[in-house]
Amino acid sequence: MTPTTAPPPHSPTMPATPVTSASNSSTTLGSPAHPRVSVLGLGAMGAVLAGTLLAAGHPTTVWNRTHGRADTLRAAGAIEATSPAEAVSAADVVIVCLFDHASVHQTLDPIATHLAGTDLVNLTTTTPEQARELAAWSETHGIHHLDGGIMSVPEMIGHAGSEILYSGSPEVFGRRQDLLAHWGASTYLGPDAGRASLEDLAILSGMYVMFAGFLHGAAMVASAGVGAVEFAGRAAPFLAAMTGGLGGLAETVDARSYAAPGQQSLDFSDLSHIVRASAEAGVSTEAVQMVQNLITRQRDAGFGTEGFARIYESITDTTSRSHR
Ligand code: FVH
């Protein structure tokens, strides 16, 4: 299915802390343009999500397990509910942004009957299977479920560059698109509730492996007395430039054209000198050895002259996986 992305309609000059500009301070009545929302979970992310909707004029009720985290939102016009049941009874749309899948069920299971008929948008990070499980649970209870993967940090919400991936109920996404757009661009990936989570976690895989590689490099140069900040100044521009190569790797993988000319070969990509330099610097070789293992499997199978993108086959071929 081709993803559809809706850009945020709000002004790019929206304040960084939107809770200070609430416009619905007294009314709790929703309207077609401003349905009533309840936000369950006022951690770093949930508080910003709630504040953004409040600033956009949505009657907003909030609840948090630990009392005291709603003070700023309350001062800006939000209503603080004393229980999840009270919070959702005042809502057309329920937004959930809790710690994990277990905390979502701990919060929602006791109030399933109160949620029947409402639109539930779960922005808690879960695995794809957990998202599908919540979708099935929601269907059992007559709840309309949309799952989201937030590709932003709290400071980005409501600003250019913020994006949230969604999958699950197409009706909820269609009905609530204007509301969701207050947080940033909204990309709908289809009715499989697990898809947004899958893509979210796949993107985060890239981020974490890159961060691990950067920190590995920082540990290497530390052996020469170079500080991580100084190293970051040199590494960041190069790493940013290298992301320009992702599209080419992707085309090669989709076409399985590893033998096409113009690619950096696996033989050339051998990382043994980096592994050895890491050992010489007295740091763990794990991070770079992981990549070297993926390369070695393909070279051992006779593909050394083919392109680096071929390590994709080491990743997808679980039958030949080794733990070297
Ligand atoms: N913050 C970020 O940058 C990332 C961006 C990408 C998406 N994540 C995910 O968003 C979920 C919430 O993240 P958060 O940053 O708001 O997390 P915390 O500040 O740690 O707040 C956690 C809230 O969850 C409540 N909570 C925890 N356990 C339970 C429970 N068993 N029952 C009810 N509520 C629970 C916690 O309440 P309290 O500790 O204040 O009582 C907070 O409200 C998360 O999935 C990220 O992966 C954010």
Side-chain angles (χ1 to χ4, degrees):
M1 156 154 212
T2 307
T4 54
T5 300
H10 53 71
S11 157
T13 57
M14 193 173 208
T17 312
V19 292
T20 56
S21 56
S23 58
N24 65 314
S25 53
S26 58
T27 181
T28 57
L29 298 175
S31 68
H34 294 102
R36 299 167 305 165
V37 297
S38 280
V39 179
L40 306 182
L42 300 177
M45 181 56 81
V48 174
L49 296 172
T52 306
L53 297 181
L54 189 61
H58 289 276
T60 303
T61 301
V62 296
W63 172 84
N64 194 68
R65 176 182 63 173
T66 305
H67 196 66
R69 296 189 84 163
D71 296 350
T72 308
L73 288 161
R74 223 180 41 239
I79 293 167
E80 183 178 12
T82 56
S83 68
E86 184 187 319
V88 306
S89 66
D92 303 307
V93 190
V94 175
I95 313 298
V96 179
C97 191
L98 297 171
F99 181 65
D100 61 6
H101 185 63
S103 55
V104 171
H105 269 302
Q106 281 164 19
T107 304
L108 299 188
D109 285 1
I111 59 166
T113 52
H114 297 265
L115 285 165
T118 60
D119 289 351
L120 175 71
V121 182
N122 183 31
L123 298 174
T124 308
T125 302
T126 68
T127 69
E129 280 306 318
Q130 289 171 337
R132 292 180 189 117
E133 187 280 330
L134 188 68
W137 177 88
S138 297
E139 192 171 355
T140 305
H141 293 94
I143 302 161
H144 314 297
H145 169 259
L146 183 69
D147 203 77
I150 305 175
M151 305 315 307
S152 311
V153 293
E155 296 73 25
M156 293 166 68
I157 296 296
H159 298 276
S162 170
E163 180 177 19
I164 302 183
L165 308 176
Y166 295 97
S167 64
S169 165
E171 291 80 16
V172 176
F173 184 77
R175 259 196 306 272
R176 306 305 178 189
Q177 205 166 344
D178 289 350
L179 182 152
L180 304 178
H182 291 299
W183 295 323
S186 309
T187 300
Y188 180 69
L189 297 172
D192 169 12
R195 173 78 182 271
S197 161
L198 182 68
E199 299 224 9
D200 177 3
L201 300 185
I203 293 169
L204 292 181
S205 301
M207 181 191 79
Y208 279 116
V209 175
M210 181 189 72
F211 283 173
F214 165 74
L215 293 169
H216 178 88
M220 287 177 76
V221 298
S223 70
V226 178
V229 171
E230 180 187 339
F231 176 63
R234 279 189 285 280
F238 178 77
L239 293 177
M242 289 301 98
T243 63
L246 296 181
L249 289 175
E251 283 175 18
T252 301
V253 165
D254 279 350
R256 298 293 196 279
S257 56
Y258 307 118
Q263 299 180 50
Q264 178 176 313
S265 73
L266 284 162
D267 287 339
F268 186 81
S269 307
D270 180 82
L271 302 191
S272 52
H273 54 303
I274 302 179
V275 174
R276 183 170 173 176
S278 302
E280 288 172 359
V283 304
S284 162
T285 59
E286 287 165 284
V288 287
Q289 188 63 54
M290 178 272 289
V291 183
Q292 177 73 341
N293 290 346
L294 299 173
I295 293 170
T296 301
R297 284 222 293 284
Q298 294 305 308
R299 293 177 75 198
D300 287 353
F303 299 111
T305 59
E306 298 193 7
F308 176 78
R310 206 187 159 93
I311 68 166
Y312 178 86
E313 301 297 329
S314 296
I315 296 164
T316 55
D317 179 8
T318 55
T319 59
S320 66
R321 181 176 294 150
S322 77
H323 297 287
R324 281 184 295 171

